Amino acid sequence: MRQASHAAFALYRLPHADHCMRVEGETRELLSCTQLNGCSGFVIAPFEVKQGQPIVVIEDSATVCPLPPVMTPPPVAATLSPVDSSYAIDFANFHTQLTEGTFRKIVLARCSDETTHEAIEPVTLFHRACQLYPRMFIALVHTEQSGTWLTATPEILLEGHGGEWRTIALAGTMLLEGEQLRGEGENATWSTKNIEEQRIVATYIAECLEQFTGDFREEGPRTVRAANLVHLRSDFTFTLPDDRHIGNLLQALHPTPAVCGLPKRETMQFITRNEHRPRCYYSGFMGPLQLPHQPQGELSTHLYVSLRCMNVNGNHYRLYAGGGLLKDSTKQQEWQETEAKLETMRRCLG
């Protein structure tokens, strides 16, 4: 564990909140989720924790900030780009592991590099995301170790306080179009592939929770909306006898099959060795750990999986998205799913 002083900060807004929070201060580097036991601050964790790519904790209290009115860019009609060669190669490689029975599920991610004529202030991007996506957890984080990341994510990894906690199993994706955008996806008809994918994630989470508590309940799955997409979601509520060791639970949960695959260790090794672009802090997790969210308020934790995110570097933006592959996945459908997910961040750029 190494401690250093950096100009680090995080801005975040919880779903449906009318204000944001700011954390800034010194950072601490960790090389295991278990080292989060007893920590407090804002956490940004990568997909793969390793030397040079640590979990970073910004160690300070959160302060309330107003959300100023910001004009969001007008919606731009999405255009479907053709499948690029690197994705086609990765898909063939990953899908072979499924058809041969090596893995039950594996997640394939990709990047899209975008440039604007002039750099957009990261805080402006954050406020645009807050306006565009009231249902999602929005966070803008900068540390020397990670760089600058913006995320708008619907997926809770671990949330709660004291003995009361919850997590979710979120998987399966469909794009809402036309009249469907007026609702919440309540009329969505899910394919067998999407249902199976979500069940894999839910079963994994239940098995993880059984190691830490005998008191948990699962509800769902149900359809939930995130931007112009809908997903299948199961909610888990549970009690923990001791919240001083939630780092151990995070070590078991992260990464879930929603961003990795099954079996976990083998799919994670395959992903890190074979994806064309390293994920860095995409499909890791971030959020406040044991911080108060109002003056003199109780300490609580709100950690989210870092989906629908971008790495910001001046006027260059690297956007990330991924999708879960099963045996019956097709290259074109999976590419279209990632294109739909990338639109979440593209809309922030205008």
Side-chain angles (χ1 to χ4, degrees), residues 169-171 190 194-196 198-199 202 218-224 231-236:
L170 191 77
W190 292 96
N194 278 305
I195 293 170
E196 181 183 355
Q198 197 273 341
R199 191 66 248 158
E218 177 183 355
E219 295 181 345
R222 59 190 174 93
T223 300
V224 294
H231 306 284
L232 279 171
R233 167 174 165 169
S234 295
D235 288 74
F236 293 84

Side-chain angles (χ1 to χ4, degrees), residues 17-310:
D18 60 2
H19 62 277
C20 64
M21 309 294 291
R22 183 179 180 92
V23 179
E24 57 186 328
E26 294 186 342
T27 61
R28 176 178 293 182
E29 298 179 17
L30 311 176
L31 290 176
S32 170
C33 290
T34 58
Q35 292 178 304
L36 288 168
N37 289 335
C39 286
S40 66
F42 190 96
V43 178
I44 177 169
F47 175 67
E48 179 191 21
V49 182
K50 60 183 181 179
Q51 290 286 351
Q53 190 173 278
I55 298 169
V56 184
V57 183
I58 306 173
E59 297 182 304
D60 194 12
S61 299
T63 56
V64 178
C65 301
L67 282 171
V70 176
M71 293 299 293
T72 57
V76 178
T79 57
L80 180 63
S81 60
V83 179
D84 67 32
S85 59
S86 62
Y87 184 84
I89 292 168
D90 281 353
F91 181 88
N93 190 12
F94 279 49
H95 195 250
T96 297
Q97 309 306 311
L98 297 165
T99 57
E100 293 181 350
T102 307
F103 306 138
R104 289 180 59 199
K105 172 190 174 177
I106 189 166
V107 175
L108 173 59
R110 56 176 281 244
C111 302
S112 176
D113 290 322
E114 310 284 340
T115 304
T116 56
H117 180 67
E118 295 182 354
I120 305 171
E121 284 294 328
V123 172
T124 299
L125 294 173
F126 170 80
H127 288 141
R128 286 180 181 178
C130 288
Q131 284 197 332
L132 286 166
Y133 308 119
R135 299 175 176 86
M136 296 194 195
F137 173 78
I138 313 296
L140 172 69
V141 190
H142 172 80
T143 73
E144 183 177 283
Q145 300 92 328
S146 66
T148 305
W149 290 79
L150 175 71
T151 189
T153 175
E155 185 168 353
I156 299 166
L157 180 64
L158 184 63
E159 185 172 67
H161 60 88
E164 304 298 320
W165 296 85
R166 70 181 182 124
T167 185
I168 67 172
L170 191 77
T173 301
M174 284 200 299
L175 177 65
L176 296 179
E177 298 178 293
E179 289 298 314
Q180 294 176 322
L181 291 169
R182 297 180 181 273
E184 298 297 315
E186 58 273 10
N187 297 320
T189 302
W190 292 96
S191 67
T192 301
K193 183 261 183 184
N194 278 305
I195 293 170
E196 181 183 355
E197 182 185 349
Q198 197 273 341
R199 191 66 248 158
I200 287 172
V201 179
T203 300
Y204 172 85
I205 289 176
E207 291 172 349
C208 285
L209 294 179
E210 286 172 349
Q211 302 172 43
F212 296 89
T213 178
D215 178 22
F216 73 88
R217 183 176 65 179
E218 177 183 355
E219 295 181 345
R222 59 190 174 93
T223 300
V224 294
R225 182 172 174 177
N228 292 344
L229 304 174
V230 287
H231 306 284
L232 279 171
R233 167 174 165 169
S234 295
D235 288 74
F236 293 84
T237 54
F238 56 98
T239 61
L240 288 177
D242 186 353
D243 67 359
R244 293 174 299 174
H245 297 92
I246 58 176
N248 295 359
L249 176 55
L250 290 168
Q251 183 76 12
L253 287 172
H254 174 68
T256 74
V259 296
C260 186
L262 280 178
K264 175 177 172 175
R265 184 187 303 275
E266 290 82 356
T267 51
M268 186 169 187
Q269 290 175 346
F270 188 87
I271 287 167
T272 56
R273 292 171 181 168
N274 290 279
E275 277 185 345
H276 261 79
R277 295 272 185 86
R279 296 189 183 187
C280 302
Y281 287 82
Y282 164 69
S283 68
F285 61 91
M286 65 173 71
L289 174 68
Q290 298 291 71
L291 289 178
H293 292 277
Q294 54 186 351
Q296 289 79 49
E298 61 185 347
L299 302 180
S300 60
T301 294
H302 303 269
L303 299 176
Y304 282 72
V305 182
S306 304
L307 305 177
R308 320 289 198 273
C309 65
M310 70 166 83

